[in-house]
Amino acid sequence: MERDSSEITALVEMLSKLPGLGPRSARRLALHLVNRRTQVLVPLADLLTRVSENVRECGICGNFCIGEICGICLSGDRATNTICVVQNVADLWAMERGGDYRGRYHVLGGLLSYLDGVGPENLRIPELIERVRTESITEAILALSATVDGQTTVHYIAEKLMEAGVSVTTLGQGVPIGGELDYLDDGTISAALKSRKNY
Amino acid sequence: MERDSSEITALVEMLSKLPGLGPRSARRLALHLVNRRTQVLVPLADLLTRVSENVRECGICGNFCIGEICGICLSGDRATNTICVVQNVADLWAMERGGDYRGRYHVLGGLLSYLDGVGPENLRIPELIERVRTESITEAILALSATVDGQTTVHYIAEKLMEAGVSVTTLGQGVPIGGELDYLDDGTISAALKSRKNY
């Protein structure tokens, strides 16, 4: 690339490492930003600085928020006896987009993984057990991925929570809405068959 | 989206308006940034601020650079008698990636367009004519798009430059490297046939 504009080169390089961007889209994005200095570049730089200074993890559930406690934990409109356990904030957002769940959350910050050396103490599992003991929680929905690590985590947490006298549920498995049988893997079809319902 | 984290919501919205990003990839990117505050978010915010403060247009050719004059115009290694006229900095970068061109550039900042009301005075065309008069330029390569506006601009500039006694060339047209005839439009095949060479 042309000499002497090392900061643009550095910007292209940094952008190209972000998820969903490659060298080509990073170049396009960098030029878009530099061409629209006042409309896009400066506001984006300011907002990123504000986010880096203000956004914190909620002290109760682990969601991202401004201040100590997030809006979901503070809300009086949401059921306090139900807790939905999710892997990360992306999954919390996905649940919220669904719009059906009106309880609270607990973000684990990952999944148990013996291969990667992630144990219960590396996740927010002790905090979850503490919450179940001190808050008046009656049901815990384990909304974790249907992967090996996800199911290992479900197994471990379910045992601990049932010891504490909480009713534990997991998400239903089956054919996704709009899904075509022909394109589904065998595991999903088998799970859908097991959880078949009367019509 | 969850209440109370208005700055993350604003970030997702701003990112989703950037070229190449949609709502889904913007959400993913925002979480990636917030999850990697010190490694990615803070460096990116700082770099964007530095770029917005330091990157300027080169006073001679219109390339982006730090300081008054860009590295290409300052370089002693590049031919001063050849000038390559491009639409924007993205096209200048594309020419530089090719690596074959060792002269200087002139960035127009757009193309003539009667529909959009873009005339010669809205582009850096007067500056180009001034450069051709004052610098010892013998050849001008018009590397503009093969579109209606591109060819209108080529026509206008070529006339002006030939009046100033400069030899004017345009990029060769034909089958792109790796191109399959079956997928090429008729115009390209016809242009390739007109510019056929002895084997």
Side-chain angles (χ1 to χ4, degrees), chain A residues 47 66 140 149:
Chain A
L47 183 56
I66 314 289
D149 285 347

Side-chain angles (χ1 to χ4, degrees), chain B residues 148-161:
Chain B
V148 172
D149 285 348
Q151 293 315 298
T152 308
T153 312
V154 163
H155 188 79
Y156 180 89
I157 293 179
E159 211 156 77
K160 295 280 177 190
L161 294 184

